[in-house]
Amino acid sequence: MKDRTPHELYCEIISVFPSDNPGYGYDAKKRTEVEHPMTYALILMAEVNQHKLLESHDAGLISTCFNWLVRNYDLDEDGHAGWGLPFAWDAFQDGVGAAGETNPPNHPYTITTALVMHSLLDLLSLEILENSERDSCIDILRNAAIQWCENSFSTTKDGGHFWYSPFEGDSGNCPNVSIMMASAIERLRISYGESLEGVADLLKSRTRSVMSTIVGTAMHTKQGVFWLYQQDSEERTYTNDAVHHAYILLGMMKYLRSNDEFKIEWWNPEYILDSISAFIDQESVLEYPRIGRPDLLPSGNNTDLEMRMWGVGAMLAALAMLQNAGLISAESEKRNHVLTEILLDNVVYSIGKDVLDFRQLSHVVWGLSMNCID
């Protein structure tokens, strides 16, 4: 991408989001405009990254996103912190939900809640909140962590996993959801342990169990490491698409950055780059990885599907996190740069081509913001 830097592209795309309610925009699934907590969270993470680059960066979007998320931490009014989708949805397409055939609007989901928690933890790290705002934020994070650890967790022979949502019918083991929540809770435990008296050991046990499951269920191939989308399903025996694969890698990196006591024998940046490369080459940016296993793809012809925008954004974030950790060799750094450039070119190509889904586009903003960090 020679004509624009990641920062210039970031500034161009972030301007698309309305400044007074940036989480409100077009949703391709509903084909109308809705307000997504996940969009607020991803924009908050992105803007925090911009503030880290330049302290004089306008904090208007940070305040707007933070205020919306803490004001709307319990939209389903169940007494617990959690964020989800603004519309009814059948999570596993099985006709079973918390409200009959579906989960109701504003039902909390683990992946959305985990991303919100990460966004609030990112903001707390800036130390720009008033004391009352900080305390309120930590209380909300504590509430969410306890709720998931006590009521939305299953212990298994591999270790354990967080459910897809607090509804028992959504208790399946989807690795991307589980590790992203575990990494958020581990960050909270390590950074604010003094606020977790009486529950810190439970939180540590849960997150460690999730990491054990992630490590134990990894599929090792010549193309890298991969996971099934759902580990305990006879129907969803296929690998993750781009966004969910990136979530797993990001969740693992965030956990390991918070807890250097947990060791994974096979974990190394080159191996992780291999798995990302399975989605990307000079000619195509794919939704599913090329691993020579048709049986690990969803039914139908999925080998040539183009990567969706949230996959592009999440992959950009994963590559940036690998790069910014400073752990990769010079040769792998060049490889990382090539993969990043291909994804950036894909963003430039895709912008303006179709009506943009704002929740997917916020992933791109997030990924771009991480590529602005030196």
Side-chain angles (χ1 to χ4, degrees):
M1 191 183 69
K2 298 177 181 178
D3 56 337
R4 276 171 285 188
T5 66
H7 180 70
E8 288 170 338
L9 191 54
Y10 176 89
C11 292
E12 178 182 333
I13 297 176
I14 196 68
S15 67
V16 172
F17 296 85
S19 59
D20 55 342
N21 54 343
Y24 184 81
Y26 181 76
D27 180 275
K29 185 180 291 290
K30 303 305 291 183
R31 299 185 179 180
T32 188
E33 294 184 331
V34 299
E35 198 158 34
H36 273 295
M38 185 182 288
T39 303
Y40 280 104
L42 292 167
I43 291 176
L44 177 55
M45 283 192 274
E47 284 291 287
V48 166
N49 286 335
Q50 295 305 298
H51 196 278
K52 288 177 180 178
L53 280 173
L54 188 66
E55 284 191 19
S56 60
H57 180 74
D58 188 340
L61 277 179
I62 290 178
S63 296
T64 298
C65 291
F66 170 72
N67 289 331
W68 192 94
L69 290 169
V70 298
R71 188 172 64 247
N72 295 287
Y73 74 90
D74 184 23
L75 285 173
D76 70 332
E77 300 180 344
D78 68 346
H80 300 290
W83 298 262
L85 293 170
F87 45 77
W89 191 49
D90 179 2
F92 288 100
Q93 305 302 302
D94 55 6
V96 180
E101 295 183 355
T102 66
N103 293 324
N106 299 315
H107 178 80
Y109 290 99
T110 304
I111 189 60
T112 306
T113 300
L115 289 170
V116 171
M117 291 175 71
H118 277 297
S119 75
L120 296 177
L121 287 161
D122 285 357
L123 177 56
L124 285 167
S125 72
L126 287 184
E127 299 184 349
I128 62 173
L129 295 176
E130 300 290 339
N131 287 339
S132 59
E133 292 176 322
R134 175 188 180 277
D135 293 344
S136 175
C137 184
I138 293 173
D139 283 345
I140 290 171
L141 289 166
R142 183 181 190 276
N143 182 294
I146 293 173
Q147 159 71 357
W148 257 263
C149 286
E150 290 186 343
N151 302 311
S152 302
F153 186 88
S154 290
T155 300
T156 66
K157 61 180 179 61
D158 297 312
H161 65 268
F162 289 108
W163 299 356
Y164 194 88
S165 90
F167 170 54
E168 190 172 3
D170 292 344
S171 62
N173 177 16
C174 295
N176 78 90
V177 163
S178 191
I179 186 56
M180 196 60 88
M181 175 57 82
S183 60
I185 292 174
E186 187 68 2
R187 286 182 69 189
L188 175 67
R189 185 184 73 83
I190 295 296
S191 298
Y192 303 100
E194 73 280 359
S195 301
L196 301 169
E197 186 175 354
V199 296
D201 288 344
L202 172 65
L203 271 55
K204 181 178 181 179
S205 172
R206 295 298 200 229
T207 61
R208 192 173 185 87
S209 290
V210 169
M211 278 296 285
S212 295
T213 296
I214 293 291
V215 172
T217 56
M219 299 185 298
H220 300 281
T221 75
K222 292 179 181 179
Q223 290 77 21
V225 60
F226 302 93
W227 290 263
L228 296 178
Y229 177 76
Q230 186 180 347
Q231 294 289 346
D232 52 2
S233 169
E234 295 182 2
E235 291 82 28
R236 299 176 186 86
T237 56
Y238 48 80
T239 190
N240 288 276
D241 59 10
V243 64
H244 298 109
H245 184 72
Y247 282 168
I248 295 172
L249 300 182
L250 285 159
M252 294 183 76
M253 286 189 277
K254 288 175 181 292
Y255 180 95
L256 293 170
R257 187 170 64 181
S258 297
N259 185 342
D260 58 8
E261 296 177 1
F262 195 97
K263 305 299 181 184
I264 304 174
E265 183 178 343
W266 50 260
W267 180 270
N268 67 75
E270 286 74 17
Y271 194 40
I272 303 311
L273 274 176
D274 286 342
S275 76
I276 294 176
S277 297
F279 292 84
I280 306 164
D281 65 23
Q282 292 288 358
E283 274 134 31
S284 52
V285 178
L286 298 176
E287 184 72 349
Y288 288 94
R290 298 179 194 84
I291 53 178
R293 291 281 304 275
D295 58 310
L296 291 179
L297 293 176
S299 59
N301 182 15
N302 296 283
T303 56
D304 297 320
L305 287 178
E306 185 177 337
M307 190 183 293
R308 291 176 291 175
M309 291 301 287
W310 53 6
V312 173
M315 284 291 191
L316 281 170
L319 286 167
M321 193 164 185
L322 270 177
Q323 177 74 26
N324 297 335
L327 300 176
I328 58 179
S329 65
E331 182 178 345
S332 293
E333 187 172 335
K334 292 179 183 176
R335 188 177 169 204
N336 187 306
H337 179 73
V338 169
L339 293 172
T340 298
E341 285 294 310
I342 293 171
L343 289 173
L344 290 172
D345 286 340
N346 184 272
V347 172
V348 173
Y349 170 75
S350 299
I351 296 299
K353 188 178 70 169
D354 300 304
V355 177
L356 297 171
D357 181 302
F358 271 36
R359 184 163 53 128
Q360 294 208 26
L361 193 60
S362 64
H363 283 74
V364 174
V365 168
W366 173 41
L368 287 171
S369 75
M370 292 184 66
N371 281 273
C372 297
I373 299 174
D374 295 324

